[in-house]
Amino acid sequence: MADQKHTDKTKVRNTRVLLGCVAVVGGMIGLSYASVPLYALFCQVTGYGGTTQVATEAPVDVSEKTIKIRFNADVNSKLPWQFKPEQREMTVHLGQDNLAHYTAENMSVKPITGQAVYNVTPLKAGQYFSKIACFCFDEQTLQPGQRVDMPVSFYVDPAIAEDLNTQDVKTITLSYTFYRAEASVEGPDSDERQGG
């Protein structure tokens, strides 16, 4: 009888341990799926890592203070596109709605879909750099040899001049890198440059 009670207690204890392990593993799996969107949300809210903000419109009040914006463009080696800014830099008023242009051209013989990732440097300026409209918000599909204008509408929040941490920032560099989209219309990665 004592052996039966001991066996029952062991079974109950083992069941509790098993359920605890299943709960821990399930929680870890849930956190791994949630970590990417949570990290993206954290970066967007704080500007961490040079992540810019998204806005629907520029502020009403425009400051007399100005800041220089530089523009940078890169393309991943797996994407046979040319991509460049139409202007290298501009000086803008804080709070002013500005429009900058990039151009992209598909150098391959097939349609290809790309996606731009972006940030600003210095990284601490990210929370003050807001985009109103941008080609980077969506994937872009270019036909063979197609060249397109890619505008970005942005402003720099006047609060950047009041933050003790960013008062030394006189120039912000907006950088984009285009990558082949995972679900690119032409299919798997291959070298499709003409003459290649």
Side-chain angles (χ1 to χ4, degrees), residues 79-81 106 108 110-114 140-142 184-186 192:
L79 183 65
W81 286 10
N106 181 355
S108 78
K110 293 185 179 179
I112 298 179
T113 301
Q140 304 292 324
T141 300
L142 298 185
S184 188
V185 295
E186 90 294 349
E192 292 157 353

Side-chain angles (χ1 to χ4, degrees), residues 35-178:
S35 64
V36 172
L38 288 175
Y39 180 73
L41 179 62
F42 170 77
C43 290
Q44 183 176 0
V45 169
T46 64
Y48 181 77
T51 302
T52 63
Q53 307 302 300
V54 176
T56 55
E57 60 185 25
V60 175
D61 296 325
V62 175
S63 172
E64 290 300 315
K65 294 181 180 177
T66 61
I67 193 163
K68 186 182 293 183
I69 309 297
R70 291 191 177 138
F71 301 93
N72 182 58
D74 294 300
V75 180
N76 180 270
S77 62
K78 293 184 179 181
L79 183 65
W81 286 10
Q82 286 185 354
F83 175 58
K84 64 180 182 177
E86 286 299 299
Q87 62 288 302
R88 285 293 171 191
E89 64 182 41
M90 62 172 57
T91 299
V92 302
H93 287 274
L94 300 181
Q96 177 183 17
D97 186 356
N98 304 281
L99 189 62
H101 294 268
Y102 285 75
T103 58
E105 184 175 2
N106 181 355
M107 306 304 289
S108 78
V109 296
K110 293 185 179 179
I112 298 179
T113 301
Q115 176 70 54
V117 296
Y118 53 88
N119 74 339
V120 296
T121 53
L123 301 180
K124 61 187 176 180
Q127 63 184 315
Y128 298 107
F129 195 100
S130 294
K131 294 179 184 174
I132 299 169
C134 182
F135 60 88
C136 59
F137 294 161
D138 300 300
E139 292 181 347
Q140 304 292 324
T141 300
L142 298 185
Q143 297 304 313
Q146 182 181 11
R147 180 184 171 107
V148 296
D149 176 54
M150 295 187 168
V152 55
S153 172
F154 69 92
Y155 70 90
V156 180
D157 191 325
I160 194 171
E162 309 306 321
D163 186 339
L164 293 176
N165 191 39
T166 56
Q167 286 184 351
D168 63 328
V169 176
K170 306 298 181 213
T171 302
I172 297 174
T173 302
L174 175 61
S175 296
Y176 290 97
T177 302
F178 251 109

